[in-house]
Amino acid sequence: MNNYINKAVSAREQHIKDKSLSMQLGIVERPFRLEYLLNKFDELSQLKHLDQWELVSHIWIDSENPSVNLDIWLWLFNHLGTSPSLSDEYFQSLPEQITLYRGGLLNGLSWTNDLTKARWFANRFKPENPEIWQITINKSDVIHFTDERNESEFIVSPKSINHPIRAN
């Protein structure tokens, strides 16, 4: 049995080595993708800026609970520099000050300008007292924006969050 498992692991490792970083990350199980990406950081750094952001954004979106690794995500976002999403037509059309909401615990990077979506996040695990937070920030405080899952998700550094209020 051990021989069979070792052969299977070896075959998988070889399969992963032969793929692009994006393909490798698709093979790695979800909970380990961020760690894998960090271990392949040199390879990530060789990609074009836009490709780096697309890959990191995909891993972010696919993470079930990225708040567990806040410091790592902040470091990674900071290292990548300005997100191309901030040049997006929709993002550029927003006013200089934007009101955002967060459903659930206050500590996290994900915010939305869609109050209905924030309510959904606040209630998705059916807590006794769901929380919805509201902030108003400068558009320049946004690290990254994505609407890939129709969530109007704004990534905001906790340092930019001053005076959050309960919105519920």
Side-chain angles (χ1 to χ4, degrees), residues 36-126:
Y36 189 86
L37 181 66
L38 294 173
N39 287 330
K40 295 288 191 166
F41 192 75
D42 288 342
E43 213 172 310
L44 175 68
S45 298
Q46 301 301 316
L47 299 176
K48 294 178 190 171
H49 187 246
L50 179 62
D51 294 337
Q52 289 175 15
W53 268 104
E54 284 181 3
L55 188 57
V56 169
S57 182
H58 177 73
I59 300 301
W60 167 267
I61 289 167
D62 197 47
S63 297
E64 182 54 39
N65 190 4
S67 295
V68 171
N69 298 304
L70 279 181
D71 292 339
I72 295 171
W73 282 109
L74 282 169
W75 176 85
L76 186 55
F77 290 142
N78 188 47
H79 182 79
L80 292 178
T82 304
S83 170
S85 69
L86 304 183
S87 298
D88 170 279
E89 187 177 329
Y90 170 75
F91 185 80
Q92 287 296 311
S93 73
L94 296 172
E96 287 307 310
Q97 290 227 314
I98 50 178
T99 298
L100 301 175
Y101 307 93
R102 179 174 171 78
L105 300 175
L106 181 58
N107 70 327
L109 305 177
S110 295
W111 293 77
T112 181
N113 60 353
D114 181 342
L115 182 56
T116 303
K117 189 57 71 175
R119 283 191 181 112
W120 182 88
F121 276 103
N123 289 294
R124 77 176 171 158
F125 297 120
K126 311 229 182 306

Side-chain angles (χ1 to χ4, degrees), residues 10-45:
S10 180
R12 184 174 177 157
E13 287 174 348
Q14 187 59 45
H15 182 70
I16 288 174
K17 283 181 190 174
D18 293 340
K19 305 292 181 193
S20 69
L21 181 56
S22 177
M23 293 292 289
Q24 291 173 36
L25 284 161
I27 296 168
V28 173
E29 276 118 29
R30 181 178 286 150
F32 307 106
R33 288 182 184 156
L34 177 59
E35 180 181 356
Y36 189 86
L37 181 66
L38 294 173
N39 287 330
K40 295 288 191 166
F41 192 75
D42 288 342
E43 213 172 310
L44 175 68
S45 298

Side-chain angles (χ1 to χ4, degrees), residues 131-148:
E131 296 178 320
I132 300 173
W133 297 94
Q134 177 182 329
I135 57 172
T136 299
I137 62 168
N138 293 322
K139 185 164 69 170
S140 61
D141 290 328
V142 175
I143 296 171
H144 180 63
F145 170 78
T146 180
D147 196 29
E148 195 166 315

